[in-house]
């Protein structure tokens, strides 16, 4: 990725799921966050994470990625770090951006941000 002639490094965040069956190991690499538009219209969303300001050390939300999703489509976010309190803001056509809302894991004892197998079915 180039910005003003300089090469920049962008961190990407994934979930890795390993399963072993009969001596074979399956490796599944998935994005850390997914957004699915279940609305009957286009949806835009901004994903961000908590970061510290270099100027005054204050904590604020820094936008990491913007997704534009048509109805029924899924967006994958690779740039938001789930360890840095990910947040989301949404916008529908003709409306302003919503306030940032923290994305939380529904199961506090879970070590992942993924839904359980029962929830995915």
């Amino acid at each position: 990725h180039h910005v003003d002639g300089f090469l920049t490094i962008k961190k990407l965040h994934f979930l890795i799921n390993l399963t072993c069956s009969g001596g074979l190991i399956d490796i599944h690499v998935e994005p850390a966050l997914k957004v699915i538009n279940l609305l009957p219209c286009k949806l835009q969303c901004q994903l961000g994470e908590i970061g510290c300001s270099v100027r005054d050390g204050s904590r604020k939300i820094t936008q990491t990625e913007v997704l534009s999703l048509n109805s029924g489509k899924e967006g994958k976010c690779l740039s938001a770090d789930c360890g840095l309190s990910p947040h989301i803001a949404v916008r529908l056509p003709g409306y302003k951006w919503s306030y940032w809302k923290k994305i939380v894991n529904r199961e506090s004892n879970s070590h992942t941000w993924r839904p359980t197998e029962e929830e995915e079915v």
Side-chain angles (χ1 to χ4, degrees), residues 3-5 15 23-24 33 49 55 60 65 67-68 71 77 79 83 87 99 108-109 114 117:
V3 176
D4 295 327
L15 293 176
L24 297 176
L33 293 170
E49 58 194 28
R55 289 185 186 159
K60 68 175 193 166
E65 198 162 338
L67 302 174
S68 184
S71 182
C77 177
S79 59
H87 284 66
Y99 293 110
S108 61
N109 62 348
R114 298 184 63 211
E117 288 182 21

Side-chain angles (χ1 to χ4, degrees), residues 35-37 41-47 63 65-77 88-93 97:
V35 178
I36 301 172
N37 181 6
C41 60
K42 190 173 186 173
L43 170 73
Q44 287 183 297
C45 59
Q46 299 178 55
L47 294 139
Q63 178 185 308
E65 198 162 338
V66 177
L67 302 174
S68 184
L69 305 170
N70 289 322
S71 182
K73 297 299 179 183
E74 178 182 285
K76 297 170 173 86
C77 177
I88 188 168
V90 297
R91 180 170 67 179
L92 298 175
W97 284 103

Side-chain angles (χ1 to χ4, degrees), residues 5-119:
F6 293 97
L7 183 62
T8 61
I9 296 173
K10 183 176 184 179
K11 291 182 182 180
L12 301 177
H13 302 276
F14 299 95
L15 293 176
I16 299 175
N17 185 17
L18 303 173
T19 56
C20 183
S21 176
L24 297 176
I25 298 175
D26 289 326
I27 302 171
H28 299 271
V29 179
E30 298 182 21
L33 293 170
K34 293 180 189 177
V35 178
I36 301 172
N37 181 6
L38 299 177
L39 299 172
C41 60
K42 190 173 186 173
L43 170 73
Q44 287 183 297
C45 59
Q46 299 178 55
L47 294 139
E49 58 194 28
I50 297 289
C52 285
S53 171
V54 176
R55 289 185 186 159
D56 59 9
S58 64
R59 295 171 54 90
K60 68 175 193 166
I61 299 169
T62 304
Q63 178 185 308
T64 60
E65 198 162 338
V66 177
L67 302 174
S68 184
L69 305 170
N70 289 322
S71 182
K73 297 299 179 183
E74 178 182 285
K76 297 170 173 86
C77 177
L78 303 173
S79 59
D81 184 347
C82 293
L84 296 176
S85 297
H87 284 66
I88 188 168
V90 297
R91 180 170 67 179
L92 298 175
Y95 289 89
K96 295 180 181 179
W97 284 103
S98 70
Y99 293 110
W100 287 105
K101 294 291 181 187
K102 185 176 180 181
I103 301 171
V104 295
N105 192 350
R106 289 178 278 182
E107 294 185 32
S108 61
N109 62 348
S110 175
H111 296 292
T112 73
W113 291 81
R114 298 184 63 211
T116 63
E117 288 182 21
E118 294 82 24
E119 291 174 322

